Structures are given as structure tokens and as C-alpha cells.
Amino acid sequence: MTLDLITIPCLADNYAYLIRDKATGQTALVDVPESAPILAELTARDWRLDKIFLTHHHHDHVQGTEDLVKATGAAVYGALADVHRLPPLTHALKEGDEVTVGDSIGQVIDVSGHTLGHIAFLFPSARLAFTADSLMAGGCGRLFEGTPATMWASLSKLAALPEETLICSGHEYTTSNLRFAATIEPENQALLNRMDRVASARAAGVPTVPSVLSEELATNPFLRAKLPHIKQALGLGAASDAEAFAALRARKDTF
Ligand code: ZN
Ligand code: FE
């Protein structure tokens, strides 16, 4: 890998990620739930922070930004669409734009649905995708602002990435996500195996992120809404993929 990746637990169940280009030492952070654990990690590693990439406007992803900028002078990148409700940005991004971490190039894609203006950062050379509250480990974010069709389109972009891509998502919700998945596919052996692995990881206090896209494709019901047996399990044999996704998301909302 061209980038080192450090997963930093924050608040009760959030994650931030540090990425550092091995060739140049340039370092970026994805999301700032709070500043203290990030500053501690930077100090422990003797790393300077150059850039902050924000995925969406929710407080639990951005509220440490101004503190961290004061301490590090890092540049702040976020969605142009959300410039009115993000911390002050030095760089406003839209789908198709590129960011860099040293020699590594990241692509910005729009993954609206959880919010309108939610972006993800893809680093194809390192096989990393920072998805925050769009595609999550075993699940996806709640639809606060977008329609099911919008979120389905966003998840479909992520599902089309190379299947070895690491999905760096925003929360430790995996246990309850997989418990819901098992109500939809109780006989999915890959899912049952993943539930065991996740239970062991959580018992040891280990994060269940990042996850691998291949395991999401095999176990995450929100990526599997298009499969005939899932539509059938929902009683929606003739539904469109987006309609099946909408029904799944509605079920999860009251799970
Ligand atoms: Zn959020
Ligand atoms: Fe969140």
C-alpha cells in the first residue's frame, strides 16, 4: 500500500481515519468527531497534519475541526454543496474533483442519501474508500435528507469498486447491523460467519472497521436488495431494486 491507515475511535461509537503517504510523509484526516484522540495519535507518532477531509455536516463528524485547525494549521476540504453548514473550508469539493495526500490521488464522489451533500473519498491506488455514513459495515446510514433512490444510487457506485477495497466507515454499528441482516437472510453462511468474527472483535475491544467490500457484498443486506431472494423475503418479488432497498431501510428504521 502507498498509504498508511490508522483508525481512531472517537466519542461513543465514531471513527476518524489518518492516512499518510509513505513516500512524502504528507498526512490527512478523514472526519473530526473530536480533536483530543486525534491530537494524541499525531503526537504519539510525531506526525504533522496537513489536510482534513470532511464527509458530511453532522456534528459527530465535524465538531472537532476548528480545534484541530488551531492546533495544526491543516487545510480543510469538504463539499461545496454543504459549505453553509460545514466548518470553514479552505477547499470546496464536488463529485469528480481530486484530492491528494502526497503522491496518492483521491477521487471525490457524491454519496448523498444519509444527507444531501455527503461525499466519499476514494484512493484507488491504496484500495481505500472513506464512506462515513453512506455504506457502513453491515449496513448504511439512515435517510435523513435523501430519498431511497438517491441512497441506492450512492451505494451502487460503491458496490462497483474493486471488491478488495477497504470500506472505512464512520461508526461502530456493525453488531446491530448484522443482527438486522440476519432477520432478512437467516441462512446466509457468510453472514453467520461474519457475526462470529464481529462478536470476537467486539469482545476484545477491536474495531470492526475497515471492512472489505467483498464481505459487504456477501453480507450487507443494503447492497443485496437487488437479489431475487431478498426481494422475496421482503414480500416484494416484482419491486425495483430501489423499492426493495426502500423497504429494507424502512424495516431497519424500526428494528
Ligand atoms: Zn451522519
Ligand atoms: Fe454519523
Side-chain angles (χ1 to χ4, degrees):
M1 271 221 283
T2 52
L3 291 170
D4 284 320
L5 173 71
I6 310 294
T7 303
I8 306 177
C10 295
L11 304 175
D13 56 30
N14 277 79
Y15 289 113
Y17 297 92
L18 278 173
I19 42 181
R20 185 170 194 264
D21 179 55
K22 287 181 181 172
T24 62
Q26 199 173 71
T27 302
L29 173 76
V30 181
D31 282 347
V32 201
E34 56 179 333
S35 57
I38 292 155
L39 285 168
E41 194 72 43
L42 289 167
T43 302
R45 294 175 180 276
D46 200 20
W47 287 359
R48 190 188 71 241
L49 185 66
D50 300 291
K51 300 179 179 182
I52 296 169
F53 300 146
L54 300 175
T55 60
H56 68 294
H57 73 91
H58 284 158
H59 287 180
D60 63 311
H61 296 259
V62 305
Q63 66 194 354
T65 303
E66 279 157 284
D67 255 15
L68 202 56
V69 168
K70 260 182 224 140
T72 66
V76 184
Y77 297 68
L80 177 62
D82 271 346
V83 71
H84 58 291
R85 54 183 184 174
L86 286 170
L89 302 180
T90 55
H91 299 77
L93 303 170
K94 56 189 186 322
E95 180 161 82
D97 285 349
E98 288 184 347
V99 293
T100 57
V101 183
D103 294 338
S104 296
I105 296 174
Q107 302 164 350
V108 176
I109 64 166
D110 183 303
V111 290
S112 288
H114 175 68
T115 64
L116 297 177
H118 193 313
I119 54 177
F121 297 89
L122 312 179
F123 290 84
S125 64
R127 295 279 193 255
L128 293 174
F130 296 91
T131 60
D133 295 356
S134 58
L135 177 59
M136 306 179 84
C140 72
R142 240 174 225 266
L143 305 184
F144 288 115
E145 298 175 9
T147 65
T150 301
M151 182 62 120
W152 177 252
S154 297
L155 294 180
S156 297
K157 291 181 203 174
L158 297 167
L161 297 173
E163 67 174 19
E164 64 272 30
T165 302
L166 290 181
I167 303 299
C168 305
S169 55
H171 288 271
E172 185 58 62
Y173 293 163
T174 318
T175 302
S176 71
N177 285 343
L178 296 182
R179 209 182 302 131
F180 171 73
T183 67
I184 306 296
E185 286 190 287
E187 287 163 20
N188 178 339
Q189 194 55 51
L191 172 59
L192 300 175
N193 294 345
R194 187 178 185 189
M195 292 176 85
D196 284 345
R197 287 199 309 278
V198 163
S200 307
R202 293 315 294 152
V206 173
T208 62
V209 298
S211 57
V212 185
L213 181 57
S214 57
E215 71 181 331
E216 299 303 336
L217 292 168
T219 62
N220 186 328
F222 296 102
L223 295 184
R224 295 167 63 77
K226 61 187 173 190
L227 298 176
H229 76 273
I230 303 263
K231 290 182 182 176
Q232 246 135 45
L234 295 165
L236 292 171
S240 72
D241 298 348
E243 285 166 349
F245 169 77
L248 263 182
R249 188 57 254 181
R251 275 202 199 195
K252 176 69 162 68
D253 287 347
T254 56
F255 175 68

